[in-house]
Amino acid sequence: MTETLLKPVAEASAAAPRSARKPLLPALTGVRTFLAANIMFFHFTPPHIDWIVPIVGHGFVFVGFFLLISGFILSYNYADRIRAVKLKDFYLARVARLYPVYLVSLVVSIPILITEFHVRSRVEFVEGAIMTPLLLQGWSPWLATFWNTVAWTLSTEAFLYAIFPFMMRLRWPVKPARLVALGLGIWALGLVPHVIYMLTNPDGLPTIDRYSYGYYLRGLKFTPLPYVCTFTAGIVLGRLQAVTEMSQRLRAVLAFVAVGGVLGFLYLLADHTPYVLMHGGLLTPLFAMLVLGVTGKNPVSAFFGWKPFVVIGESTLCIYLLHFNMLQMLRDYHVAERLHFAALDPWASYVLVVGFAYLLYRFYENPARKWVLATFGTKRA
């Protein structure tokens, strides 16, 4: 039975042209909508919705899910042609994808930069003002959240993108079982620094939770290296997708088990699980199962593949980069009261942010990406 559910596809894929466009994965785009929403609600939790507090209250776990998806998508798209792609074109594509909207997020957040000037030392402010536009702020635990609080993840993404072409040139297993074993090993390895921190508590904190503040804890939370294993697990997942023919039944089982496992963990176990382990990617295997599950045809993928979810999912980079500072500024400047929609808040503010993010994606991010590629890229690429 195992052979009918999970089997190599080397014979089937050999006949396919190497330059063939990969099938789109709309359900995975829809998943990103829920990840972005959970992270937004994690930072600014709406009142009177106690039933989803166990989910949004632990929304930080979904940052790792984003990085897992990133590794998977890159591996899925480049696995069979990475050696044929020029490094210049690969890196330009990544810059075109991230930097235009990142630049806008910094401009929009100028008021936050002014606040940074007043609360930071002059040395810290100058370092942050230089490092943040260069996507280097994530390498400093103290400066990782400078200017645009959530943009430390882009600093991490930039590093992971930089090493991706070289990682893909390594010799990867081709047998599904070995890839699964490798992925689990990488996941376990990624938890080691977090276990060490949990056992040693080098910051000497009385409690360790989302509000704790310490140099080494911030290093685990915000610097790029702790996320290398999560991203690499995504690469392994992409390799598994490429070399395995997985039955639709198995994908459906994976999807349902993943959704049930994630919800069950967040509702029943999360409050009793060390925060550091959860932040370190403890749920990565369940997230990986969901990725494989929604790439098939089943009720879970149909749900996440609903057109409105997919449309919003395409603009999740804008939502993610803009939501924290925009919502903070909407509060600080009492926009809801001044525009007389306070009775509808915070939901009206969420709609404003998501709507602005979608328009920015549609009329700026996507055209800017195409312009950068057309202007500076190799025409053939």
Side-chain angles (χ1 to χ4, degrees), residues 164-187:
F164 172 78
F166 304 100
M167 296 179 70
M168 287 299 293
R169 285 173 167 81
L170 299 175
R171 295 188 63 182
W172 296 87
V174 294
K175 294 185 177 180
R178 291 186 178 181
L179 283 168
V180 171
L182 177 62
L184 290 174
I186 291 171
W187 164 66

Side-chain angles (χ1 to χ4, degrees), residues 351-364:
V351 171
L352 280 176
V353 171
V354 172
F356 178 73
Y358 176 74
L359 293 175
L360 190 67
Y361 163 77
R362 184 76 181 273
F363 298 107
Y364 171 73

Side-chain angles (χ1 to χ4, degrees), residues 7 11 36 42 84 92 95 132 160 166 180 200 214 217 260 267 281 312 323 362-363 376:
K7 60 183 179 179
E11 299 86 353
F42 168 71
L92 183 66
V95 170
T132 301
L160 297 174
F166 304 100
V180 171
T200 61
L217 180 60
Y267 275 95
I312 297 174
H323 81 274
R362 184 76 181 273
F363 298 107
F376 303 103

